[in-house]
Amino acid sequence: MEALIQPSVVDGKAALQARAVAKRYRGGVRALDGIDLDIPVGSICALVGPNGAGKSTLMKAWVGFERPSSGSVAVFGINPWRNRPAALDRIGYVSQKPSLYRGLTVADHVALAGSLRSGFDPGPTRRRLDELAIPLGQDTRTLSGGQQAQVMLALALGTHAQVFVLDEPLASLDPLARREFLHVLVDAVRADGATAVLSSHVITDIEQACDRLVVLGGGRKILDVPIAEAISSHRVGTAEALPETAGAQPVGTFPGPFGERLTLWLVPPERADDPALRGATLEEVILGQLAASRSPRTPTQGQPS
Amino acid sequence: MRTTIRLLLKTYRFEFIAITLACLAMAGAELYLTSRLDALALPKECQFDQNISVEQGFATQPEEPVSDPTLVDSCQEKAIAFSDSDQRSAVLMSFGAALPVLAGILIGVAVVGRELETGTASLAWTLSRSRRRWYLTRALLVGAILGGVLLLPSFTANILEHARQPLIDPGSSFNDGGIRGPVLVMLGLLTYSIGVVTGAVVGRQLPAVIITLALALLAILAFENGVSRWESTLAEWQPAASSSYSIDIVLEQDYRDRASGLIVDQGSVFNAAPQVDGGPDGAWIDAHYDSVALVVPGSRYGDVVAVETGAIGAALLVLLGLGLFVVIHRRPD
């Protein structure tokens, strides 16, 4: 087994890695454009970006669903395209669209997971579903979108994988269901010492659950920092405001909630008390970074994330 | 494994119920017609169309005319009733030949195609570390269940065939040979495997059904063509009187020159024969030539079925291997 894994090792320090990953679809559509990324072990990382940024493509590359056109991806150092079983052994995946079997009950899905994956732990999975008041005997067709997402998450968590890849699982959920989903995810990941990557457009959810932020735009990595650092190192002011802080750098200008133009500034953390600027929210950091990625160069078109 | 089988049966319950009901209905209808034919108890003397020799062509006269007048009347009455049920049986067996093809397409396309269409492939392919294991388990188990269900109508078709021609052993006769017995099951499994591969490639059920139907018809035509060519290599010359259209495959009728032993075609013999009343002299022909037929004897039916089964089995393995290749390399959506 060691001989099989060894040639696939890229680095081995991060849970998930991408090295110069590019993905081009037929017709020249470019979804990823030379992404370099390390997801540290133990982090809960938010993958954020507009539609077409390449989030889903990157996640699917990690689970072995998309083969990069160039570059390489790795799961704990294992290339999923060279040693898919070993890579998948370490991954729990929740897809964008709940993909449960029509006509099977929740309990059937738990049994299915047990039959497909050695080491799947049905006990905690059933308990978790029970705590969420999801009846095991219920046909999954009759479950709400939130319940279906919870079943998908429970099945993924039951694998006791080392890293969870969640591709916009919150997209169709109401606020309460999103909150419950994230609560279950964070609890389980922290308890197992696992790693998680979560793509989402809902910034408040990310702020609540994640400790690291990766922003993608046009198939490129725009930002990759801990969330606390992302907030502390940025300030916001109106487009006309000029900071007094030496070394402050404008990042990007974007529309505010009332139509005003706001500018995101990158400031040194120790010089964060500039009176012309206020603290940035996570959403403003992301909007400013995305605006910056669009203005100087035209981003390439990608597949919908 | 028990859980896997239970979940497969539950996942494909619509297909399995539909196929099982159709097979039960077909088997029931075949057994019903068998009982009708058996109840007529056509006496041996009346079964003059059971073994039509090549020399007699398609004549429906007994080799030895029935002399008993009461038996003649009885024969006529029973023969009409028998013929009526026999014709219904022929129609039913034709439908029976289509059943495995339709069943194979219905469930074959769903095995991978539906998983891709509904998105469940992404769930299964991340839960299961090995797509190979996932694919082979379901493809082989569903195929085995389908084959088991199709055994019933293929078996009852053989029974019905025997009732239609009571004097002939169906195991030694090519009559209706392609629409009964194990070949029927194998044709169902062939279309099943075509459906599996097409579903895996296309990833959408409805287009896959249409494509599979077209491919299956082409495959069956190609198979029948190949079998016919191969069967001709088994053919041997026999006295025409000993060959039967109802049992053997008669490929050719000619004459053997008694002096040289050479086979001569009918036209040459008729040209060489003296003309009597505007036609060739039959007595002269009989004196110089033996009427012979190139036939695959019914006794080879078992051999042919074994080879056909093996050939389709090999094709099945190739197709399932192709499906495996597609499943391993394709995206789940």
Side-chain angles (χ1 to χ4, degrees), chain B residues 94-254:
Chain B
S94 300
F95 279 115
L99 177 62
V101 174
L102 296 176
I105 292 171
L106 181 69
I107 196 149
V109 161
V111 166
V112 180
R114 187 197 293 166
E115 298 265 344
L116 293 166
E117 189 170 52
T118 59
T120 47
S122 64
L123 174 69
W125 291 0
T126 46
L127 282 174
S128 174
R129 280 170 283 213
S130 167
R131 288 190 200 177
R132 181 186 290 117
R133 180 170 163 251
W134 172 85
Y135 168 78
L136 289 177
T137 301
R138 66 197 300 104
L140 294 177
L141 279 176
V142 172
I145 295 168
L146 174 67
V149 174
L150 289 177
L151 273 176
L152 181 63
S154 73
F155 181 65
T156 53
N158 256 343
I159 295 174
L160 179 58
E161 179 67 21
H162 189 48
R164 293 176 67 196
Q165 306 208 50
L167 299 183
I168 296 173
D169 172 16
S172 301
S173 166
F174 282 102
N175 197 49
D176 292 330
I179 56 173
R180 60 186 169 86
V183 175
L184 212 55
V185 178
M186 295 306 286
L187 285 176
L189 292 177
L190 178 68
T191 53
Y192 163 76
S193 56
I194 293 172
V196 170
V197 176
T198 310
V201 172
V202 177
R204 297 286 180 271
Q205 286 189 96
L206 185 58
V209 164
I210 296 166
I211 295 169
T212 303
L213 185 58
L215 290 177
L217 292 176
L218 284 175
I220 291 170
L221 282 174
F223 173 73
E224 295 294 342
N225 192 344
V227 166
S228 296
R229 285 169 184 268
W230 173 73
E231 280 173 346
S232 66
T233 65
L234 302 176
E236 54 193 59
W237 290 101
Q238 287 186 354
S242 66
S243 304
S244 164
Y245 281 111
S246 297
I247 298 174
D248 311 318
I249 298 172
V250 180
L251 301 173
E252 203 175 323
Q253 286 185 64
D254 286 315

Side-chain angles (χ1 to χ4, degrees), chain A residues 25 60 89 101 108 117-118, chain B residues 10 115 126-127 129 333:
Chain A
Y25 290 101
K60 286 176 180 174
D89 201 26
Y101 286 84
D108 288 335
R117 181 117 166 189
S118 59
Chain B
K10 196 169 179 181
E115 298 265 344
T126 46
L127 282 174
R129 280 170 283 213
D333 49 13

Side-chain angles (χ1 to χ4, degrees), chain A residues 189-218:
Chain A
V189 168
R190 295 283 182 239
D192 287 353
T195 306
V197 179
L198 167 76
S199 70
S200 176
H201 293 294
V202 185
I203 308 303
T204 50
D205 294 336
I206 291 168
E207 209 161 7
Q208 171 199 337
C210 302
D211 53 28
R212 191 170 189 85
L213 174 70
V214 173
V215 181
L216 298 184

Side-chain angles (χ1 to χ4, degrees), chain B:
Chain B
M1 185 57 78
R2 193 180 298 171
T3 302
T4 305
I5 293 172
R6 179 180 71 79
L7 293 174
L8 277 177
L9 286 172
K10 196 169 179 181
T11 303
Y12 299 113
R13 61 185 178 277
F14 165 75
E15 286 84 357
F16 278 131
I17 288 172
I19 291 168
T20 304
L21 286 177
C23 287
L24 285 173
M26 180 59 64
E30 287 177 339
L31 290 176
Y32 169 73
L33 282 174
T34 299
S35 69
R36 287 279 302 269
L37 290 167
D38 286 347
L40 290 168
L42 201 62
K44 186 178 179 181
E45 295 80 3
C46 300
Q47 296 175 18
F48 41 74
D49 61 343
Q50 292 297 312
N51 192 15
I52 304 162
S53 72
V54 170
E55 281 193 329
Q56 288 170 312
F58 288 97
T60 54
Q61 295 301 313
E63 287 183 40
E64 293 179 15
V66 182
S67 53
D68 184 347
T70 56
L71 190 57
V72 170
D73 291 341
S74 169
C75 273
Q76 275 190 334
E77 193 178 317
K78 288 186 173 176
I80 290 169
F82 190 92
S83 174
D84 181 52
S85 291
D86 184 54
Q87 284 173 9
R88 289 173 190 225
S89 301
V91 172
L92 184 66
M93 286 182 74
S94 300
F95 279 115
L99 177 62
V101 174
L102 296 176
I105 292 171
L106 181 69
I107 196 149
V109 161
V111 166
V112 180
R114 187 197 293 166
E115 298 265 344
L116 293 166
E117 189 170 52
T118 59
T120 47
S122 64
L123 174 69
W125 291 0
T126 46
L127 282 174
S128 174
R129 280 170 283 213
S130 167
R131 288 190 200 177
R132 181 186 290 117
R133 180 170 163 251
W134 172 85
Y135 168 78
L136 289 177
T137 301
R138 66 197 300 104
L140 294 177
L141 279 176
V142 172
I145 295 168
L146 174 67
V149 174
L150 289 177
L151 273 176
L152 181 63
S154 73
F155 181 65
T156 53
N158 256 343
I159 295 174
L160 179 58
E161 179 67 21
H162 189 48
R164 293 176 67 196
Q165 306 208 50
L167 299 183
I168 296 173
D169 172 16
S172 301
S173 166
F174 282 102
N175 197 49
D176 292 330
I179 56 173
R180 60 186 169 86
V183 175
L184 212 55
V185 178
M186 295 306 286
L187 285 176
L189 292 177
L190 178 68
T191 53
Y192 163 76
S193 56
I194 293 172
V196 170
V197 176
T198 310
V201 172
V202 177
R204 297 286 180 271
Q205 286 189 96
L206 185 58
V209 164
I210 296 166
I211 295 169
T212 303
L213 185 58
L215 290 177
L217 292 176
L218 284 175
I220 291 170
L221 282 174
F223 173 73
E224 295 294 342
N225 192 344
V227 166
S228 296
R229 285 169 184 268
W230 173 73
E231 280 173 346
S232 66
T233 65
L234 302 176
E236 54 193 59
W237 290 101
Q238 287 186 354
S242 66
S243 304
S244 164
Y245 281 111
S246 297
I247 298 174
D248 311 318
I249 298 172
V250 180
L251 301 173
E252 203 175 323
Q253 286 185 64
D254 286 315
Y255 288 94
R256 178 185 280 124
D257 188 328
R258 282 184 182 162
S260 65
L262 294 174
I263 302 296
V264 185
D265 65 75
Q266 285 185 341
S268 302
V269 170
F270 290 172
N271 288 337
Q275 299 297 304
V276 178
D277 298 332
D281 184 350
W284 184 89
I285 292 173
D286 289 344
H288 294 83
Y289 295 93
D290 291 323
S291 179
V292 291
L294 184 63
V295 300
V296 183
S299 58
R300 301 299 301 270
Y301 176 70
D303 300 334
V304 169
V305 167
V307 170
E308 282 180 347
T309 304
I312 297 175
L316 283 179
L317 292 178
V318 171
L319 285 165
L320 290 177
L322 185 61
L324 177 61
F325 178 83
V326 174
V327 163
I328 285 176
H329 289 89
R330 76 157 291 155
R331 293 186 305 194
D333 49 13

Side-chain angles (χ1 to χ4, degrees), chain A residues 13-26:
Chain A
K13 290 177 183 172
L16 298 171
Q17 288 179 319
R19 289 286 176 271
V21 174
K23 176 68 185 179
R24 287 177 187 80
Y25 290 101
R26 284 178 195 165

